[in-house]
Amino acid sequence: MYAFAPDPALTKPELYRELAAAARALVAGEPDPVANMANVAALVWQFVDRLNWAGFYRMVEGELVLGPFQGKPACLRIALGQGVCGAAAATGATQRVEDVHAFPGHIACDADSRSELVVPVLRNGLVIAVIDLDSPLPARFDAEDAAGIETLAAAIAAAI
Ligand code: SME
């Protein structure tokens, strides 16, 4: 059992620093990528509030395939360039969407989702996965959330 719990008094940058440190500690020494993604998805769920979905899509033979997550069952496969996840994977750039209904091609896996943050995980300059966070609130994610999840992605890239 791991007792990682965020202190409610933390600022957002501090919270994300703690999340990245906890993730590094959880994946240290474990070579299995599924086990590591599962624990990181659970950690994000624990640290980041107001989410309805948090997890991974992995790049497998040129498309995104569902990985470990927390939330409702989701779309299994996403083509590059499709939806918010596919845009992040195709461009290698973080996608922060304040209103998913206004995003052309958004894939509605969970009808509750109103805003979304998708961060590519890069290894040797290639997108190997994306981290996807959905919120039932519009404009849930700001630039600090994006920077924080980018720090997390860098912290775990070698372990997934
Ligand atoms: N909404 C995403 C699909 C994945 S689910 O949100 C879990 C998208 O448009 O890529």
Side-chain angles (χ1 to χ4, degrees):
M1 198 194 95
Y2 298 94
F4 291 118
D7 178 342
L10 294 179
T11 65
K12 211 184 265 194
E14 287 168 345
L15 176 97
Y16 281 111
R17 270 197 294 279
E18 290 225 342
L19 170 59
R24 267 192 213 95
L26 268 178
V27 303
E30 173 51 59
D32 188 276
V34 174
N36 286 334
M37 285 186 277
N39 259 345
V40 172
L43 206 57
V44 169
W45 193 251
Q46 205 177 349
F47 269 68
V48 183
D49 63 3
R50 294 168 288 148
L51 301 181
N52 60 311
W53 203 92
F56 290 86
Y57 279 89
R58 301 157 299 125
M59 189 75 96
V60 181
E61 294 172 1
E63 66 179 338
L64 291 172
V65 182
L66 183 64
F69 67 93
Q70 305 273 312
K72 290 183 184 165
C75 319
L76 288 164
R77 290 174 187 266
I78 299 175
L80 285 199
Q82 296 276 296
V84 187
C85 291
T91 61
T94 293
Q95 306 290 310
R96 187 161 61 82
V97 179
E98 299 206 327
D99 174 7
V100 295
H101 299 312
F103 187 92
H106 167 254
I107 302 163
C109 290
D110 182 341
D112 286 345
S113 299
R114 293 296 311 280
S115 58
E116 184 160 359
L117 173 64
V118 184
V119 173
V121 182
L122 296 152
R123 196 194 296 155
N124 302 324
L126 296 174
V127 176
I128 58 164
V130 300
I131 301 174
D132 181 15
L133 272 58
D134 286 28
S135 174
L137 302 173
R140 157 68 183 82
F141 306 105
D142 63 15
E144 287 182 341
D145 295 296
I149 298 298
E150 285 167 356
T151 302
L152 174 68
I156 56 139
I160 69 163

